Amino acid sequence: MGIRAEDGVAMIPSGVDAARGDGQGPARDGDLLEAVRARSLPGHVALIMDGNGRWAQARGLPRLEGHRRGVAAAERVVRFVAEERLFPCLSLFAFSTENWNRPPEEVESLFTLLEQFIRARGDEFVERGARLEVLGAIDALPASLRRAIAEIEERTRGGEALHLVVGINFGGRWSILEGVRQAMALARNGDLTPDELDNAAFSRLLPTAGLPEPDLIVRTGEEKRISNFYLWEAAYSELYFTPTLWPDFDETALLLAIQDFQGRRRRFGGVAQ
C-alpha cells in the first residue's frame, strides 16, 4: 500500500516508517535523502510529537520511559535537520496548554525531561549554529525550567543554521488570544484603528510574529488532528499524518513526510499553473 494524499492531508500505512521500533540509532536512507534534496524543500516543518505513552504501554513500560524515548527521538531529528541543513526552521510541539490535564506527577516529569534536554544539548546547539526559541506562556512554568530557557535562548541567539522552535505551554488558541489582547491594548491607546487591522497587522501581534508559517505539519501517533498547535499560522500548511508513534520516528520517516509534501500542488486559493 502506498502513501495517500488528499486535499492537503496525507495518511501512511503503519509499515512504512515504523520498522525501527527501538527509538535508537540512525536510520538514514542515502538515496531517499538525495531524492528529497533534488526537489523544492519546505522552509518550516512543524512536528506534533504524539504517542510516547502508547509506545511505553505497548511494551509494558512506564509512561515516563516513553517520554524519555520521545526526547531521544527529538534529539535525533533535530541533529539530522541541523547536520543536513534540510530546511531553516523546525518546530516541536512539546507541551500544550491542555497537557496540564495530565496527572501532576507526569507533568512534573515532563518538565524535568524538557529542562534536561535544554541543558544537556546547549553546547551542541551552539556548535551546530542552531538558535533555540521557546514559544508559550512561560510564566506558568517551574522557575528552574524558565531559567534554563532564558539561558539557552541567550546562548544560541546568533545561530543561523537552524531556527528550532519548541512549544512549551503553547496553544494556538492561547496565541490568538494574546494577539487579540495586544490589538485591544493598541486600540485603547489610540494606536490601532479597525481599518488598520488586517491579516498582516494581526500576525505581527501574535507570539509567533517573525516566524514563517509552517509549510508542513507532521503528526505522529495515528490521530488525525492538529490539537491546538499552530492555528492561525496553519491556514495553508500541508498536513501529514503517520501511525508511527513518536519514539519510533526517525530520519527516514521525516524524509518520507517531506517527499510526500514535495508531491503536493499548493495553490494558496489560486489556480495551479
Side-chain angles (χ1 to χ4, degrees), residues 96-190:
S96 76
T97 49
E98 289 72 38
N99 285 154
W100 292 101
N101 295 322
R102 297 186 176 192
E105 59 274 15
E106 182 173 345
V107 172
E108 183 178 352
S109 296
L110 284 169
F111 288 153
T112 298
L113 287 172
L114 287 168
E115 182 177 348
Q116 290 173 347
F117 167 74
I118 290 170
R119 293 192 183 279
R121 298 303 170 195
D123 290 342
E124 184 175 354
F125 289 146
V126 173
E127 290 170 6
R128 296 188 184 280
R131 173 193 168 198
L132 190 144
E133 177 184 3
V134 172
L135 282 179
I138 306 301
D139 290 346
L141 302 178
S144 59
L145 178 54
R146 295 200 308 270
R147 286 193 296 270
I149 290 169
E151 290 167 8
I152 195 63
E153 287 185 331
E154 180 59 32
R155 288 187 63 195
T156 64
R157 195 173 301 279
E160 297 181 351
L162 174 66
H163 186 183
L164 175 62
V165 182
V166 182
I168 304 179
N169 199 23
F170 178 84
R173 290 176 174 176
W174 167 83
S175 180
I176 291 170
L177 283 173
E178 287 294 295
V180 171
R181 293 186 186 102
Q182 292 289 329
M184 292 177 67
L186 289 170
R188 185 166 54 246
N189 293 332

Side-chain angles (χ1 to χ4, degrees), residues 19-25 55 59 69 76 247-248:
R20 295 175 39 144
D22 60 359
Q24 298 187 28
W55 183 94
R59 291 160 176 78
R69 294 299 184 94
R76 182 171 62 240
D248 290 328

Side-chain angles (χ1 to χ4, degrees), residues 229-273:
F229 191 18
Y230 292 131
L231 296 181
W232 176 269
E233 300 80 8
Y236 281 102
S237 299
E238 299 294 326
L239 307 179
Y240 180 93
F241 301 106
T242 171
T244 299
L245 302 176
W246 175 249
D248 290 328
F249 194 84
D250 58 23
E251 298 95 322
T252 297
L254 177 63
L255 291 173
L256 285 170
I258 295 172
Q259 188 177 60
D260 181 86
F261 165 84
Q262 291 171 327
R264 311 285 182 91
R265 299 178 69 187
R266 306 185 75 196
R267 298 177 179 84
F268 298 99
V271 177
Q273 300 297 318

Side-chain angles (χ1 to χ4, degrees), residues 202-214:
F202 187 66
S203 293
R204 290 192 293 270
L205 300 178
L206 296 170
T208 54
L211 277 180
E213 294 182 351

